[in-house]
Amino acid sequence: MLCYSARKRISSLIDGELKPGEAKQLEAHLAGCPNCAAIFDEMAGARSLFAGFERFPAPHGFSTRVMAAIQGQPEVGTRWNPVFARFAGAAALALAIAAGIFSGGILTGALGPIHYPTKETVVASLSLDVFEASPPGSLGKAYLASTKENR
Amino acid sequence: MGNPPPPFSSNGTTQGTEDLSLIGAFNKGDASAFEALVLKYQDRVHTLCRYMLNNPEDAGDATQETFLKAFRNLGYFTPDASFYTWLYRIAINTCLDHKRRSFLRRVVFPEGGSDLLESLPSRNPTPEKLYETKESLHAVQLALQGISPTLRAALVLKEMEELAYEEIADVLDISVGTVKSRISRAREELMKILRNKRKRETLKG
């Protein structure tokens, strides 16, 4: 095994990730190559530095805070589009406000009284007066009036 | 503080089965199942974030963000990958995003060099030796911040979480060959930084 190949594999040897045959070849090379052996020693030293490394437990109450933060999130499985999910709350609020304004407008009459059709208005709408040939103020009305006077 | 067993020990299959069982319960509406997952992995994820970001506040934020993202996307998790590699991927990406957003302060150690093996704890350390060891560990922790985040991620996953190369490849979404290369380069850079630091301290006298 050449030094170039050996140096690429030293880290893997330290991690126990080489196949047995490859590992034996590399170990044989290291036994006879002081330069590569020095690199191995240095990398093994780097690895051993982590042996006493500190673990950092999550802060006290962490899981409770995570679950509390989750409370307002959409449930898993609804597959909400995260874009729409962001605006859903605002849209719902706007809709509620609009519904409130509309309802309040009706109650206070601000939107104007609602006229419901009566029997009279329905009959009136169907009367021929609507279709009067000579409505007041029209030329036809004036003509008829003048012809009536001349009779 | 003793190290917890790595996710894939001799009980690796049991660990994976337990996670899938909790995910299944969660998908059926059992919110406490997700909390069980948080309790199971919060320390590991927090340790990972701490070594990626070094700052305790940033690490806490990144840890919480990791679990919130996991909650939002748990419905998309498929059992063809293990849950913890999926979770670690979210954690690493969250930390890398955090790094990109914040101002990066690279730790620069002056030129120097010394044999670090001397600073390893002995069997019966004296108080002075314990202090030196703690200082050495602190120096290594700082030196970790001096290597690029992508190299650091690979090294931390290997050294702290003791993941196999294939698992690291899964977490980082890279090939096994790239994992090997990154870990090797990370170790080389780490040793170079520490050598330079010790050299400068020697020069100072």
Side-chain angles (χ1 to χ4, degrees):
Chain A
M1 183 179 280
L2 299 175
C3 290
Y4 173 75
S5 297
R7 287 174 190 180
K8 285 197 325 182
R9 287 167 173 77
I10 287 175
S11 185
S12 299
L13 177 70
I14 290 170
D15 291 332
E17 294 271 358
L18 285 183
K19 293 175 185 174
E22 219 175 0
K24 279 187 180 173
Q25 278 188 342
L26 179 54
E27 284 166 358
H29 176 85
L30 293 176
C33 179
N35 291 336
C36 290
I39 294 173
F40 173 86
D41 288 342
E42 194 171 59
M43 278 211 184
R47 188 158 207 279
S48 63
L49 289 172
F50 288 90
F53 253 49
E54 188 178 356
R55 296 272 170 183
F56 295 98
H60 179 70
F62 175 80
S63 64
T64 304
R65 286 199 293 278
V66 168
M67 297 310 289
I70 279 171
Q71 289 303 314
Q73 302 224 5
E75 288 181 9
V76 172
T78 59
R79 309 259 170 126
W80 279 28
N81 183 323
V83 174
F84 288 115
R86 278 192 215 113
F87 293 102
L93 180 61
L95 193 62
I97 291 172
I101 291 173
F102 184 73
S103 300
I106 291 174
L107 290 173
T108 61
L111 296 178
I114 296 176
H115 294 282
Y116 295 98
T118 63
K119 182 180 176 183
E120 291 72 19
T121 56
V122 171
V123 169
S125 69
L126 294 176
S127 72
L128 291 177
D129 290 340
V130 175
F131 305 104
E132 187 178 1
S134 56
S138 69
L139 287 176
K141 186 75 173 180
Y143 174 74
L144 288 174
S146 66
T147 53
K148 186 178 178 181
E149 288 176 358
N150 291 331
R151 286 190 188 144
Chain B
M1 182 181 301
N3 290 342
F8 264 154
S9 60
S10 58
N11 291 327
T13 306
T14 306
Q15 296 281 353
T17 305
E18 182 184 80
D19 291 346
L20 290 178
S21 176
L22 288 170
I23 292 169
F26 174 76
N27 285 334
K28 288 176 185 172
D30 182 5
S32 68
F34 186 80
E35 187 171 12
L37 287 169
V38 175
L39 286 166
K40 185 176 177 184
Y41 288 105
Q42 62 183 19
D43 292 347
R44 288 180 180 277
V45 172
H46 187 252
T47 297
L48 192 61
C49 292
R50 186 62 186 271
Y51 283 110
M52 285 298 296
L53 299 174
N54 203 35
N55 179 280
E57 288 74 27
D58 292 344
D61 290 344
T63 307
Q64 177 158 320
E65 195 176 332
T66 295
F67 283 105
L68 292 180
K69 286 180 183 175
F71 172 84
R72 287 196 292 266
N73 294 284
L74 195 54
Y76 300 98
F77 171 77
T78 53
D80 55 339
S82 62
F83 173 73
Y84 65 87
T85 57
W86 181 79
L87 185 65
Y88 290 169
R89 181 188 295 189
I90 296 174
I92 294 291
N93 286 335
T94 300
C95 291
L96 292 176
D97 287 343
H98 192 99
K99 277 292 203 185
R100 280 190 281 269
R101 286 196 303 265
S102 65
F103 175 72
L104 294 178
R105 291 187 299 167
R106 290 182 65 86
V107 177
V108 178
F109 289 97
E111 295 297 315
S114 172
D115 187 3
L116 280 169
L117 294 178
E118 293 175 356
S119 64
L120 293 178
S122 61
R123 249 179 217 197
N124 297 305
T126 62
E128 292 78 14
K129 203 65 180 173
L130 281 170
Y131 174 77
E132 287 174 9
T133 303
K134 193 173 177 182
E135 286 297 299
S136 298
L137 290 174
H138 182 64
V140 175
Q141 213 165 314
L142 283 177
L144 266 178
Q145 304 307 310
I147 62 178
S148 76
T150 49
L151 297 185
R152 191 184 322 143
L155 187 62
V156 169
L157 286 171
K158 184 63 197 168
E159 298 293 4
M160 301 306 299
E161 292 300 319
E162 299 178 313
L163 299 189
Y165 282 4
E166 283 190 3
E167 292 173 311
I168 297 173
D170 193 20
V171 172
L172 300 179
D173 198 21
I174 54 178
S175 68
V176 171
T178 305
V179 170
K180 292 179 186 178
S181 170
R182 286 189 186 180
I183 290 175
S184 184
R185 281 162 50 203
R187 285 174 174 150
E188 288 172 11
E189 286 194 23
L190 192 71
M191 297 307 293
K192 187 177 175 183
I193 290 172
L194 291 168
R195 266 203 310 274
N196 291 340
K197 179 179 183 295
R198 293 299 289 260
K199 193 182 287 182
R200 179 171 180 156
E201 286 175 352
T202 304
L203 287 173
K204 274 185 177 176

